[in-house]
Amino acid sequence: MGEVSGGADRRDGGHYRVSTEEQAAFRRDGWVHLRGVLAPDEVAALAVDYDRFLRREIAVAGKDFCDMSGDYTRTVEQFSIINVMLPRRYHPPWQGNVYERRAHSIAEQLCGPGMALDYDQLLAKRPRRDDAVFGWHQDLAYWPTDTPDLRTATCWMAIDAATVDNGCMRFVSGTHLAPLRPHRPLHGDRAKSHTLVTDLVKGDTVTLAPIAPGDITVHNEAVLHGSGGNKSAGWRRAYIVAFRSAATVAEERRRGFTHSHNDGKTVLDSVGFNAKQ
Ligand SMILES: O=C(O)CCC(=O)C(=O)O
């Protein structure tokens, strides 16, 4: 398969060059689309292990293999959005892979030096699942916001082409510049499901972000985003690596917050639900 959207001239080993226009778009909109961060053969190599996770050939503990659309009572076959938290923990050969290295270089071009990988995640929507909807949310509603350096850059890579039909990312540009919105658990209770949601308000303008395999969107954890159901006959597989400032990541770990869904406590237990709203 040839490269759909270019990017070869931007890649150099573990580095990907971000233009000044793209840096400005990230600051203004809270997200940006970067083309060809990985070449087709690099995506294909990662997809081999990705599918081993989906087939459960790579063991993932407890709630780190879960469903982001339903509650924890669903069986694996019922999962519409399969969520694998911290795949690099469960599959150490992924640590330091080419995607992680290029994403790190991108995070530092967008946010400045001193960014650290905070967590990684796989989000795979099964074919023909109207309910594979990722509700509107801001990532910062999920985790500590009381650290001094809140620089963030979350890289979301398409393994399959992400289309309007299969539930590509969608954003409300500029919302990272306003206060966080109040969030609530999708299923009423964090013990029933991890998922938090908020609402669109009058005046919000939604931008869809269809992207090619190997392309990424990078978003600020404060920007409002989500995605629609998968109406297509194929999977929609995404691979996410999220960066925060090294100081904030160190503070999260000091508090015992690892982004594992198996953590005894969630940040919301420790600081009070949306305590900062
Ligand atoms: O994969 C999706 O559809 C949503 C992902 C998301 O919300 C995120 O990476 O923060």
Side-chain angles (χ1 to χ4, degrees), residues 81 119 121-125 132-135 137-139 143 154-156 167-170 219 225-228 236 238 240:
I81 307 178
Y119 70 91
Q121 180 178 21
L122 309 180
L123 285 167
K125 297 187 182 186
V133 172
F134 217 113
H137 68 283
Q138 292 159 297
D139 299 336
W143 40 79
T154 298
C155 299
W156 187 105
C168 64
M169 289 283 271
R170 49 192 183 191
H219 66 265
H225 63 283
S227 62
R236 193 232 62 181
I240 293 126

Side-chain angles (χ1 to χ4, degrees), residues 45 84 95 106 122 124 142 165 189 225 229 231 254 264 267 276:
V84 178
Q95 293 172 17
I106 289 165
L122 309 180
Y142 279 89
D165 211 34
D189 178 352
H225 63 283
K231 299 180 191 319
R254 197 190 62 75
V267 65
K276 293 184 71 62

Side-chain angles (χ1 to χ4, degrees), residues 6 19 67 88 107 114 123 156 174 177 198 201 209 229 250 260 271:
S19 71
D67 180 17
R88 71 196 306 276
L123 285 167
W156 187 105
L177 301 172
T198 188
V201 299
S260 167
V271 300

